[in-house]
């Protein structure tokens, strides 16, 4: 299973199901507002950052439109997250 490594090689805890569900809702909102390739988080709560460009105008516009859906906790974005 994939887990984010923290400084010192410690493994991050798996995100609670409600956090992952919030990330899925946010991803759906981003897709519906102009970022069709934005991925859902994996089962560990990580989002594949290789599949979107957070600096693109489309992402910036969608992110602004989806502020109310953005998860309250940290969003883990990792290139190639399975």
């Amino acid at each position: 299973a994939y887990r984010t490594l923290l400084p010192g090689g410690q493994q991050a805890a798996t995100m609670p199901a409600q956090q992952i569900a919030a990330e899925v809702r946010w991803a759906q909102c981003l897709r519906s507002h102009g970022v069709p390739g934005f991925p859902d988080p994996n089962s560990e709560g990580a989002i594949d950052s290789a599949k979107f460009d957070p600096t693109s105008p489309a992402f910036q516009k969608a992110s602004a439109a989806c502020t109310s859906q953005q998860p309250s906790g940290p969003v883990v974005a990792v290139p190639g997250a399975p």
Side-chain angles (χ1 to χ4, degrees):
Y2 170 83
R3 291 186 183 226
T4 302
L5 293 180
L6 300 174
Q10 298 173 333
Q11 289 188 337
T14 301
M15 288 190 182
Q18 65 265 27
Q19 174 70 17
I20 295 172
E23 289 182 6
V24 169
R25 286 190 300 275
W26 183 55
Q28 291 169 338
C29 185
L30 291 171
R31 288 192 295 267
S32 72
H33 284 88
V35 188
F38 194 87
D40 281 338
N42 66 16
S43 63
E44 302 279 331
I47 295 173
D48 184 354
S49 64
K51 295 187 177 181
F52 67 97
D53 177 4
T55 64
S56 73
F59 179 84
Q60 296 297 317
K61 184 176 179 181
S63 184
C66 297
T67 300
S68 66
Q69 297 292 321
Q70 189 167 4
S72 59
V75 175
V76 178
V78 179

